[in-house]
Amino acid sequence: MAEEGEDSKFNSPQPPPFLEVACKSLGKISRFAAGTRAGFAVSLINRKLEAGAPLVSHIEAVKDGEEPISFGPDAILVDYSNGWKLQTVTELDFGGVRKAESIRLIPTQAPNLQIFEGRRPAKIVPKSGVSFLYIAKILLAFVLIFVLGAIFTVALENLPRLILLINSYTN
């Protein structure tokens, strides 16, 4: 019986030792070990891109006539075989979507947005522009400073009269 168990180990279909991802921006195929996270693969592919080339946002499994399967940053890349191919999706594939609204930007409440690809932050994108509310707060602060200054000026100018008035009531 021990021999049957050993034979089944050798005769069972083995998964390929690597996965191939077709990169549109590079025009090449990148290979990754089985069990690689999609975010890590995207990070490595983006590092190989030339300046000005569209960044890869995520990886999809595609097959003619089927809805694509998207891999999130923490998903493990899987080869579905039977006509399914892994390929990259670039920011340009989202027609009309601005870079700041891209899928890669996750937190929207923080003043500095961190983009995580794999385990390390890839890029920090500051919020752009000065809002109307920010300018209004600055103007309100200046008005309050001038009002407070005027109150102290009037109080200090009238302090000698106030002291004389208090002294006249006490005497």
Side-chain angles (χ1 to χ4, degrees):
M1 288 213 167
E3 290 179 21
E4 279 183 35
E6 289 176 15
D7 286 340
S8 64
K9 286 182 191 176
F10 294 114
N11 294 332
S12 65
Q14 294 289 327
F18 59 86
L19 300 166
E20 292 185 339
V21 178
C23 179
K24 294 178 185 179
S25 298
L26 287 172
K28 296 180 181 179
I29 293 181
S30 298
R31 291 182 175 176
F32 298 97
T36 299
R37 294 195 182 274
F40 177 74
V42 166
S43 176
L44 286 180
I45 291 170
N46 281 334
R47 288 182 195 160
K48 294 178 184 178
L49 294 177
E50 295 178 11
L55 292 175
V56 172
S57 62
H58 64 281
I59 296 174
E60 286 183 342
V62 293
K63 181 179 180 180
D64 289 337
E66 296 285 338
E67 184 71 23
I69 301 169
S70 299
F71 291 90
D74 291 330
I76 305 270
L77 292 177
V78 178
D79 183 11
Y80 293 108
S81 64
N82 297 330
W84 287 91
K85 294 182 181 181
L86 295 176
Q87 72 178 23
T88 60
V89 178
T90 65
E91 292 177 347
L92 293 180
D93 294 330
F94 297 107
V97 176
R98 295 184 312 207
K99 205 173 206 176
E101 297 171 347
S102 169
I103 288 176
R104 296 168 11 103
L105 303 179
I106 298 167
T108 56
Q109 293 85 9
N112 286 327
L113 303 178
Q114 285 194 346
I115 302 169
F116 287 94
E117 293 176 351
R119 297 273 182 220
R120 299 180 309 157
K123 188 191 319 181
I124 296 178
V125 180
K127 281 190 175 178
S128 61
V130 178
S131 69
F132 175 74
L133 183 61
Y134 181 73
I135 293 172
K137 286 180 181 180
I138 290 174
L139 291 176
L140 179 64
F142 275 118
V143 168
L144 289 176
I145 288 172
F146 285 119
V147 168
L148 190 61
I151 290 172
F152 280 125
T153 302
V154 169
L156 288 174
E157 286 177 354
N158 293 319
L159 185 62
R161 284 188 230 148
L162 183 63
I163 292 174
L164 288 175
L165 185 64
I166 292 173
N167 281 338
S168 66
Y169 282 123
T170 57
N171 288 340

